[in-house]
Amino acid sequence: MAFELEQREARHILESIELGSTSIPDCFALINDADPTLVYFIITWLRSRYANHSASEGVLGRIIALMQAYPKTAQILKKGKADALVDWFEETYAYRDLDAGEFLAVVVEKLES
């Protein structure tokens, strides 16, 4: 049950940024309360997924707005990137090859184990 809850919370963070369904202050509150490694994974997945996408302006624009409004976001990302789990994931998977559901299932499972 905890795994499902963690996955829903991770999806909420991802979709809040991806869909713009949450204000920037509320997005930061979610990010600030989340595991830094999870935050790194989500932001990196979004950047990779939307690098050459027709909706990139909106998604990447929200990430930029978040980082400009809340500089602590960069510190959270730096801390998350330092986790050894990131190296494992990036050696095993390509962000662009996983859809949101697959990505979150892999990441949350590893974070919870």
Side-chain angles (χ1 to χ4, degrees):
M1 192 66 137
F3 175 73
E4 292 173 5
L5 176 63
E6 294 295 325
Q7 225 175 348
R8 275 196 306 271
E9 289 174 358
R11 183 171 288 279
H12 180 62
I13 295 168
L14 187 145
E15 289 179 350
S16 292
I17 299 168
E18 183 178 32
L19 304 176
S21 58
T22 305
S23 69
I24 295 297
D26 289 343
C27 279
F28 179 72
L30 293 171
I31 285 170
N32 198 39
D33 291 341
D35 180 294
T37 306
L38 176 64
V39 173
Y40 175 81
F41 277 130
I42 289 172
I43 297 292
T44 303
W45 184 86
L46 287 167
R47 285 176 170 162
S48 175
R49 192 70 162 183
Y50 286 92
N52 295 309
H53 192 281
S54 61
S56 66
E57 187 175 321
V59 176
L60 299 179
R62 282 188 284 281
I63 293 170
I64 291 167
L66 180 64
M67 295 184 77
Q68 288 176 340
Y70 298 94
K72 184 179 177 189
T73 304
Q75 295 169 353
I76 293 168
L77 292 173
K78 185 176 181 180
K79 183 177 181 183
K81 183 179 172 123
D83 191 310
L85 191 58
V86 172
D87 292 333
W88 166 82
F89 180 87
E90 291 178 349
E91 289 172 3
T92 308
Y93 297 96
Y95 289 97
R96 293 181 65 88
D97 292 344
L98 300 172
D99 69 23
E102 295 167 325
F103 167 72
L104 292 174
V106 169
V107 168
V108 170
E109 181 178 343
K110 282 298 186 181
L111 286 170
E112 292 300 306
S113 61

